[in-house]
């Protein structure tokens, strides 16, 4: 298995560019079992004052998680994910995911907590900002964060 | 919050909507989600890799809220399913607002879910803001927590949603 990265403050995550298609928006909503009409019905969305169907928050969370664990590998365990949707993500254009390590904790229970700031922009306009708190093994010999006992898991 | 309808005040701080084991977690459903977002994390796909980390494959942790959404249709049920976040719609309707949007989400993730698991989700209204002018018209903000537990009571996660309601319905 690929070793987890050794993070440092200011380290950038590999860039990720994703075309936002009608298929992705509706497939993400359906796969997350979200049948609210603003995620699949353009007429309904426009009547609600939106430009088009919008990506649901579950799909955005899934993409942010993918962006982070593509970098960390499977031993990276997300404890907390917070994101603000400043502008609707609609079909058309490419979403650019950019992320940077902004904080690293001291070792706690064989884990290092890494805080990552993420921005998703569409057409060079910020659409979503996120902060992820990710646990990584503190050293190459530390146990995986997935083996952390529930009572010691403090995300 | 003195101008709130009494029923909204009564909802504050306690579980108002409880959704219990409406879906059994299973790999086919979470694979559809991984395909949609093209997430190749082996913990969701690969039994040999996941054995070292999580004993077996797990559902993508950020998919947690999806396991507490009622089936759109099911035999024997009269009336429609509860909406995706029913308490949000109850608040929106009680405040006479036409539309609602999620503006901020926080997910605190605990014990991961595996095939065969289920969750009980409690929706709790935490706060409702004053009426204010928004880019989409007159509206209000409110905050809802959803607490997800497995049948044994262990915590699977907590979702906190910040929501905006807008578009006053004509009286």
């Amino acid at each position: 298995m690929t070793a987890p990265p050794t993070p440092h403050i200011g380290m950038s995550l590999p860039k990720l560019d994703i075309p936002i298609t009608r298929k992705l928006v509706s497939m993400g909503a359906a796969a997350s079992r979200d049948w609210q009409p603003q995620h699949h019905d353009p007429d309904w969305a426009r009547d609600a004052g939106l430009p088009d169907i919008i990506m649901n928050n579950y799909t955005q969370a899934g993409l942010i998680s993918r962006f982070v664990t593509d970098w960390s590998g499977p031993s990276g365990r997300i404890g907390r994910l917070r994101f603000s949707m400043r502008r609707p993500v609609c079909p058309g254009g490419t979403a650019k995911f950019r992320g940077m390590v902004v904080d690293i904790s001291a070792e706690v229970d064989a884990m290092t907590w890494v805080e990552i700031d993420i921005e998703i922009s569409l057409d060079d306009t910020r659409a979503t900002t996120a902060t992820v708190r990710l646990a990584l093994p503190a050293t190459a010999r530390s146990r995986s964060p997935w083996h952390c006992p529930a009572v010691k898991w403090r995300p | 919050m003195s101008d709130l309808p009494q029923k909204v005040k009564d909802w504050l701080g306690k579980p108002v909507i409880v959704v219990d084991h409406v879906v059994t977690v299973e790999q086919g459903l979470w694979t559809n989600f991984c395909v949609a977002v093209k997430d190749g994390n082996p913990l969701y796909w690969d039994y040999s890799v996941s054995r070292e980390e999580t004993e077996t494959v797990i559902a993508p942790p950020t998919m947690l809220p999806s396991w507490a959404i009622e089936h759109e249709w099911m035999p024997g049920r009269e009336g429609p399913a509860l909406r995706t976040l029913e308490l949000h719609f109850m608040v929106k309707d009680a405040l006479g607002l036409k539309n609602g949007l999620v503006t901020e989400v926080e997910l605190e993730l605990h014990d991961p879910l595996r095939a065969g698991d289920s969750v009980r989700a409690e929706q709790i209204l935490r706060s409702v803001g004053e009426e204010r002018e928004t880019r989409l018209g007159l509206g209000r903000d409110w905050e809802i927590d959803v607490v997800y537990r497995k049948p044994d009571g262990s915590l699977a996660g907590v979702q906190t949603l910040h929501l905006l309601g807008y578009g006053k319905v004509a009286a």
Side-chain angles (χ1 to χ4, degrees):
Chain A
M1 197 190 311
T2 312
T6 306
H8 57 84
I9 293 175
M11 185 178 193
S12 293
L13 274 62
K15 296 176 180 175
L16 177 65
D17 293 347
I18 297 179
I20 304 300
T21 61
R22 204 163 283 281
K23 181 178 174 182
L24 170 57
V25 172
S26 52
M27 197 173 170
S32 55
R33 310 188 61 256
D34 181 355
W35 293 107
Q36 295 304 307
Q38 64 268 34
H39 307 308
H40 64 264
D41 184 338
D43 293 335
W44 194 99
R46 290 189 188 105
D47 282 349
L50 299 166
D52 199 339
I53 58 169
I54 60 173
M55 181 179 281
N56 73 347
N57 79 79
Y58 307 136
T59 306
Q60 294 204 37
L63 287 169
I64 292 166
S65 172
R66 171 199 158 183
F67 177 57
V68 170
T69 58
D70 278 358
W71 167 72
S72 72
S75 61
R77 180 177 177 187
I78 295 176
R80 188 176 292 270
L81 162 60
R82 186 177 67 243
F83 58 105
S84 299
M85 293 174 285
R86 296 161 184 272
R87 194 186 143 200
V89 176
C90 300
T94 297
K96 295 179 178 176
F97 288 68
R98 303 290 182 263
M100 182 181 285
V101 174
V102 295
D103 196 26
I104 300 173
S105 75
E107 179 179 338
V108 183
D109 292 319
M111 298 180 294
T112 300
W113 283 98
V114 179
E115 195 167 300
I116 303 162
D117 278 356
I118 295 167
E119 184 172 300
I120 307 172
S121 61
L122 268 168
D123 304 325
D124 296 323
T125 304
R126 194 165 52 174
T128 296
T129 54
T131 301
V132 170
R133 197 164 137 77
L134 174 81
L136 289 173
T139 69
R141 287 197 300 275
S142 302
R143 61 157 159 68
S144 166
W146 293 103
H147 298 163
C148 178
V151 291
K152 292 190 168 183
W153 179 248
R154 297 186 186 97
Chain B
M1 289 191 275
S2 55
D3 60 334
L4 288 179
Q6 186 58 45
K7 68 177 173 183
V8 176
K9 288 181 187 171
D10 291 343
W11 293 336
L12 283 162
K14 56 188 162 220
V16 174
I17 297 292
V18 177
V19 178
D20 196 2
H21 195 166
V22 291
V23 181
T24 301
V25 175
E26 58 104 345
Q27 192 175 2
L29 282 173
W30 85 61
T31 299
N32 284 340
F33 186 70
C34 293
V35 170
V37 298
K38 297 185 179 169
D39 192 337
N41 189 329
L43 299 188
Y44 316 147
W45 296 83
D46 186 320
Y47 283 84
S48 57
V49 172
S50 62
R51 194 170 299 129
E52 280 179 37
E53 300 280 355
T54 49
E55 295 170 10
T56 184
V57 288
I58 58 168
T62 57
M63 214 186 149
L64 175 63
S66 296
W67 305 114
I69 299 175
E70 286 198 326
H71 291 295
E72 187 70 10
W73 175 89
M74 62 186 299
R77 184 178 65 208
E78 292 182 12
L82 290 177
R83 291 163 289 186
T84 304
L85 184 62
E86 182 68 24
L87 181 55
H88 159 62
F89 292 98
M90 290 165 60
V91 173
K92 181 177 77 64
D93 294 345
L95 296 173
L97 296 166
K98 188 177 171 203
N99 303 305
L101 283 176
V102 179
T103 57
E104 187 176 306
V105 180
E106 184 161 355
L107 272 171
E108 181 184 304
L109 299 165
H110 289 263
D111 208 6
L113 299 178
R114 297 167 174 81
D117 279 339
S118 65
V119 291
R120 172 185 169 93
E122 295 182 344
Q123 301 178 15
I124 303 162
L125 180 63
R126 292 296 183 199
S127 64
V128 182
E130 300 292 332
E131 206 166 66
R132 68 179 180 90
E133 199 60 49
T134 76
R135 279 186 297 176
L136 294 162
L138 199 60
R140 278 183 196 263
D141 304 283
W142 54 90
E143 189 179 300
I144 291 174
D145 278 353
V146 188
V147 180
Y148 298 88
R149 290 188 184 279
K150 293 187 180 183
D152 66 1
S154 62
L155 187 62
V158 180
Q159 180 191 34
T160 300
L161 298 114
H162 298 258
L163 301 125
L164 167 70
Y166 62 96
K168 203 79 179 168
V169 176

